[in-house]
């Protein structure tokens, strides 16, 4: 007959395996959906309507960002493109989009934007592919390892009738915290895997619960930080367009499927996104993104097609400059050729 210790320890292992299987299943679902059309969904704020598309990065035949026919029904005032590893703003001030245009991710997007004279919006912090891969794989390895190790540590050891020692109590407490950290970091992936399902009215509570796990993990620089940064600058851009006379501008967003919860940052507004970004000290961001991260952090580039000539306007978000983040320097706004 199983004793209580065996049941508890076995339960911890089962829980760890369950979380890993839960995430593994969501990843499999994402792969199964990679050929499907990305149907946009709209997030409306006080200043703008955001039309979001989530695609899949990669070089294979099943990767890419496919636009659904419903996009043609909306006159867009700007379209944000996730740049990832591509350096669109060079040190000499030159703006380049040639490498981005050649990616499979945007094979259908660029022709649509250029044909319809829709301004392109660039505002990401470029990351090398090597740095991106090492952070992505390293973080998820840590999270899965934390689930398994935490379950092992939290499970009781020794004879179940013995009095718990202080060391055993601390071990279980640390194990529970480790299991909770790793588990909550992974729990959002089912909603990311099938975001259309979790956007249904009946799933709102589930989506909110899963979305909250991202807010609990600011260490996720690749997703959580960049979601907050993109949302803040697009909300700022929308306010600038409104001030220029464009009432409720329509802004498209083409971004990887892992960024599904960017919709929640847009809903929360600029104060939330700015507060989230300001959690990160300069040293953390410069280590993660490189010493020139502060050139890109407050910058949004709008590229327009004016009579066959591409022109670029640089917007500088005052909430994200070095001065407002208590570090020296600033980057002026201006216009240049793209």
């Amino acid at each position: 007959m199983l004793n209580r210790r065996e049941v508890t320890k076995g339960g911890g292992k089962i829980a760890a395996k369950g979380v890993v299987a839960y995430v593994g299943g969501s990843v499999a679902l994402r792969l199964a959906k990679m050929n499907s059309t990305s149907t946009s969904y709209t997030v409306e704020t006080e200043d703008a309507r955001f039309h979001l598309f989530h695609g899949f990065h990669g070089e294979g035949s099943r990767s890419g960002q496919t636009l659904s026919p419903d996009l043609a029904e909306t006159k867009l005032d700007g379209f944000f493109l996730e740049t990832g590893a591509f350096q669109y703003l060079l040190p000499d001030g030159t703006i380049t989009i040639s490498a981005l245009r050649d990616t499979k991710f945007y094979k259908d997007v660029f022709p649509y934007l250029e044909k319809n004279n829709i301004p392109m919006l660039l505002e990401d912090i470029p990351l090398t592919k090597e740095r991106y891969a090492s952070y992505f794989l390293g973080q998820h390895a840590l999270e899965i390892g934390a689930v398994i190790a935490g379950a092992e540590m939290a499970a009781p050891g020794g004879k179940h009738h013995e009095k718990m020692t202080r060391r055993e109590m601390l071990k279980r407490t640390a194990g529970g915290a480790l299991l909770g950290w790793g588990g909550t970091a992974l729990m959002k992936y089912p909603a990311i895997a099938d975001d259309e399902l979790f956007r249904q009215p009946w799933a709102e509570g589930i989506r909110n619960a899963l979305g909250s796990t991202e807010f609990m993990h600011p260490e996720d620089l690749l997703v959580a930080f960049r979601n907050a940064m993109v949302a803040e600058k697009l909300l700022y851009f929308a306010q600038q367009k409104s001030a220029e006379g464009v009432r409720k501008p329509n802004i498209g967003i083409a971004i990887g499927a892992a960024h599904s919860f960017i919709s929640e940052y847009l809903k929360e507004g600029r104060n939330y996104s700015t507060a989230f970004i300001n959690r990160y000290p300069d040293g953390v961001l410069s280590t993660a993104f490189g010493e020139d991260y502060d050139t890109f952090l407050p910058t949004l580039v709008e590229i327009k097609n004016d009579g066959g000539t591409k022109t670029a306007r640089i917007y500088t978000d005052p909430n994200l400059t070095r001065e407002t983040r208590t570090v020296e320097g600033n980057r002026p706004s201006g216009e240049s050729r793209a």
Side-chain angles (χ1 to χ4, degrees):
M1 182 176 179
L2 291 175
N3 59 39
R4 186 172 59 185
R5 182 185 69 84
E6 291 170 327
V7 170
T8 306
K9 188 171 184 178
K13 290 182 178 180
I14 291 171
K17 292 176 181 177
V19 171
V20 174
Y22 184 58
V23 175
S26 74
V27 171
L29 180 58
R30 282 184 64 186
L31 293 174
K33 288 172 64 67
M34 282 179 72
N35 271 337
S36 63
T37 299
S38 176
T39 303
S40 69
Y41 64 99
T42 301
V43 172
E44 186 166 350
T45 69
E46 182 180 351
D47 297 301
R49 297 181 186 89
F50 296 96
H51 307 272
L52 289 84
F53 289 86
H54 296 299
F56 296 88
H57 297 286
E59 300 298 331
S61 61
R62 301 180 70 193
S63 65
Q65 174 70 72
T66 302
L67 299 181
S68 58
D70 62 323
L71 184 64
E73 301 173 4
T74 303
K75 175 63 177 72
L76 296 175
D77 301 290
F79 201 104
F80 166 74
L81 305 174
E82 180 188 6
T83 56
F86 295 95
Q87 191 96 2
Y88 58 91
L89 183 60
L90 303 182
D92 64 359
T94 302
I95 296 167
T96 176
I97 57 175
S98 56
L100 193 63
R101 179 188 278 110
D102 294 337
T103 63
K104 195 171 186 65
F105 191 63
Y106 291 128
K107 65 183 185 299
D108 294 331
V109 178
F110 265 89
Y112 179 85
L113 300 183
E114 291 172 341
K115 177 183 176 182
N116 293 280
N117 292 320
I118 298 171
M120 302 175 194
L121 307 177
L122 310 175
E123 54 154 298
D124 210 345
I125 298 180
L127 278 171
T128 64
K129 292 181 179 180
E130 294 74 20
R131 181 173 286 191
Y132 183 93
S134 64
Y135 284 172
F136 182 84
L137 295 175
Q139 181 171 331
H140 291 311
L142 281 173
E143 291 163 354
I144 293 172
V147 170
I148 296 172
E152 290 283 352
M153 291 171 63
K159 296 181 180 179
H160 70 277
H161 61 271
E162 291 180 351
K163 183 178 179 180
M164 185 187 301
T165 63
R166 184 172 180 271
R167 181 178 179 181
E168 179 74 8
M169 181 182 70
L170 292 174
K171 177 186 174 184
R172 292 195 201 180
T173 301
L178 193 60
L179 175 61
W181 177 83
T184 55
L186 296 170
M187 295 303 286
K188 69 179 180 180
Y189 283 93
I192 289 173
D194 194 350
D195 60 286
E196 291 182 38
L197 174 65
F198 283 90
R199 288 200 307 270
Q200 302 302 313
W202 61 266
E204 182 179 359
I206 302 173
R207 179 180 172 84
N208 289 342
L210 293 173
S212 68
T213 63
E214 177 168 304
F215 303 153
M216 294 162 56
H217 287 272
E219 75 280 353
D220 186 356
L221 286 159
L222 290 180
V223 177
F225 173 82
R226 288 168 63 223
N227 275 348
M229 179 188 67
V230 170
E232 159 59 21
K233 287 195 280 187
L234 288 179
L235 288 166
Y236 170 70
F237 175 77
Q239 290 179 354
Q240 297 306 297
K241 286 294 158 186
S242 295
E244 294 169 10
V246 182
R247 186 177 181 277
K248 281 271 186 179
N250 286 285
I251 299 172
I253 299 175
I255 199 165
H259 295 278
S260 173
F261 285 110
I262 193 174
S263 58
E264 309 310 309
Y265 294 81
L266 292 169
K267 293 174 187 175
E268 291 289 340
R270 294 188 65 195
N271 287 341
Y272 177 85
S273 293
T274 300
F276 192 95
I277 292 166
N278 285 337
R279 294 180 181 185
Y280 300 88
D282 176 67
V284 171
L285 296 180
S286 59
T287 299
F289 296 111
E291 292 296 333
D292 64 343
Y293 85 91
D294 58 304
T295 298
F296 294 91
L297 181 59
T299 303
L300 182 148
V301 178
E302 177 190 36
I303 300 175
K304 288 183 175 181
N305 188 354
D306 293 331
T309 302
K310 286 187 171 59
T311 60
R313 178 179 180 183
I314 297 176
Y315 290 82
T316 301
D317 187 332
N319 285 356
L320 302 181
T321 63
R322 281 193 167 198
E323 288 180 344
T324 56
R325 286 179 49 79
T326 68
V327 285
E328 61 185 17
N330 200 350
R331 181 183 180 85
S333 297
E335 294 194 11
S336 64
R337 285 290 183 91

